[in-house]
Amino acid sequence: MPDLILHHYPMSPFAEKARLMLGFKGLAWKSVFIPSVMPKPDVVALTGGYRRTPLLQIGADIYCDTALIATVLEHLKPEPVLFPQHLKGVTRIVAQWADSSLFWAAMGHTLGPKGAAAMFGTQPPEVGQAFAADRSAMRTGMTSLRAGDAASAYRSYLRRLAHMLHEQPFLFGDAPCIVDFAAYHPLWFTRVVNPAMAGILDATPGVLAWMDRMASLGHGQPAKFTSTEAIAVAAAAVPAPLADEAFQDDHGIALGSRVTVAAESFGTETTEGTLIAATRTHYTLERTDDRAGHLHVHFPRIGYVLKEVRA
């Protein structure tokens, strides 16, 4: 098993999703804490621009987005399974809903005016101001739910999760799958990070009991590591050979082209590099950094925009 390095910060909901998947798989990993707001020079040294949290680093390979990180962990350690074979399609679809619609409803409620006041009220004003400015910049061009609308959607989604859990311990049966991890982390943010807003969960006790079962999975075996050490690991490593997967050309952009990849929305900073893989499921860009060396940066196709850099 190669060394797994997770770049994250404690209150990040998507990082909690990754930490819990590592725990589910029973994996040891190195824990690098990164800033919750920009600037993030050590993150950008590895990614070339992408700044969302978390990142999974394996040597000189950088994996962006928890949807891709889940797939990487499944390949590294197939058991216990995140993607049950007979449910592979439906669980990916529902997980995508949880990482988007459910997530934004939860955030709209938990970080609305009342929630933000509760979360940052005891801290120096500049802390809350910096967080709000950073997230506002990340949401450029997005339509944000107002707190009341978010709460309405959140309550409906919680009831639907409760229905799914009515006669089984996890959302798709007797064991957790990718949907449980995708649905858990926004609720965890409400319950654990900003508990002043957690009363919305009380109407669904079955969901709370499920959350307790999920939390009991733990985070595996993390060990403290620094971003300086992580960059040194990348600089000393060589990216892993690419798998022999077919090139899927949906853009008319040839392999070897100079390209950018960016998230469709929320945190749309671009990573520029040479396109060296475009498979059914992901893109890989080759790039070089003065500190981190020769890198392969990997993104899922879904949720990301590929563009050619033209002279």
Side-chain angles (χ1 to χ4, degrees):
M1 178 68 65
D3 283 346
L4 308 177
I5 304 173
L6 188 73
H7 299 254
H8 66 120
Y9 58 88
M11 73 174 189
S12 163
F14 278 97
E16 179 63 12
K17 176 186 174 186
R19 293 187 293 255
L20 212 58
M21 290 191 295
L22 288 160
F24 177 61
K25 294 286 189 180
L27 292 169
W29 52 284
K30 291 180 166 64
S31 170
V32 175
F33 283 168
I34 62 175
S36 61
V37 299
M38 291 295 270
K40 302 184 181 186
D42 292 344
V43 168
V44 172
L46 293 170
T47 68
Y50 180 86
R51 52 78 46 102
R52 284 161 50 169
T53 304
L55 310 169
L56 180 66
Q57 176 188 350
I58 303 176
D61 286 273
I62 312 299
Y63 298 93
C64 303
D65 198 292
T66 56
L68 181 56
I69 289 170
T71 300
V72 171
L73 296 180
E74 191 84 334
H75 288 162
L76 288 173
K77 190 175 181 184
E79 298 288 341
V81 297
L82 285 168
F83 302 97
Q85 188 63 36
H86 66 297
L87 296 170
K88 190 171 287 188
V90 69
T91 55
R92 286 187 183 274
I93 288 170
V94 179
Q96 187 178 351
W97 160 81
D99 278 340
S100 53
S101 298
L102 174 61
F103 175 82
W104 287 114
M107 294 304 108
H109 166 74
T110 308
L111 288 176
K114 181 180 175 182
M119 187 165 168
F120 296 106
T122 61
Q123 301 185 50
E126 58 269 21
V127 174
Q129 291 166 4
F131 185 85
D134 184 81
R135 293 311 188 265
S136 177
M138 292 184 77
R139 289 195 301 271
T140 299
M142 288 181 62
T143 299
S144 298
L145 286 173
R146 295 180 301 172
D149 296 326
S152 295
Y154 199 9
R155 287 191 175 93
S156 291
Y157 294 153
L158 289 169
R159 288 193 297 269
R160 294 172 189 178
L161 292 174
H163 292 156
M164 294 174 72
L165 294 162
H166 182 59
E167 292 183 343
Q168 56 193 22
F170 297 99
L171 292 172
F172 274 79
D174 292 333
C177 69
I178 189 60
V179 176
D180 294 272
F181 296 93
Y184 174 81
H185 70 93
L187 280 59
W188 166 87
F189 188 86
T190 303
R191 190 185 196 188
V192 175
V193 178
N194 200 5
M197 303 302 293
I200 197 168
L201 303 169
D202 292 342
T204 50
V207 171
L208 287 170
W210 163 78
M211 291 184 72
D212 290 339
R213 290 190 287 275
M214 290 298 294
S216 71
L217 297 173
H219 292 163
Q221 300 93 48
K224 290 183 180 179
F225 210 58
T226 69
S227 58
T228 300
E229 290 173 313
I231 288 173
V233 166
V238 175
L242 296 173
D244 185 17
E245 297 181 76
F247 172 46
Q248 180 172 306
D249 181 13
D250 294 329
H251 300 80
I253 300 175
L255 294 180
S257 300
R258 196 73 183 170
V259 299
T260 61
V261 172
E264 288 177 356
S265 61
F266 192 67
T268 58
E269 291 83 356
T270 59
T271 292
E272 183 173 332
T274 301
L275 182 68
I276 57 172
T279 74
R280 293 182 302 111
T281 59
H282 70 274
Y283 304 117
T284 299
L285 271 57
E286 183 177 52
R287 56 177 301 273
T288 301
D289 179 81
D290 290 343
R291 290 192 293 148
H294 178 207
L295 303 160
H296 287 176
V297 187
H298 310 269
F299 299 89
R301 271 190 182 258
I302 293 176
Y304 289 82
V305 177
L306 175 72
K307 292 183 178 180
E308 187 172 8
V309 176
R310 299 187 180 275

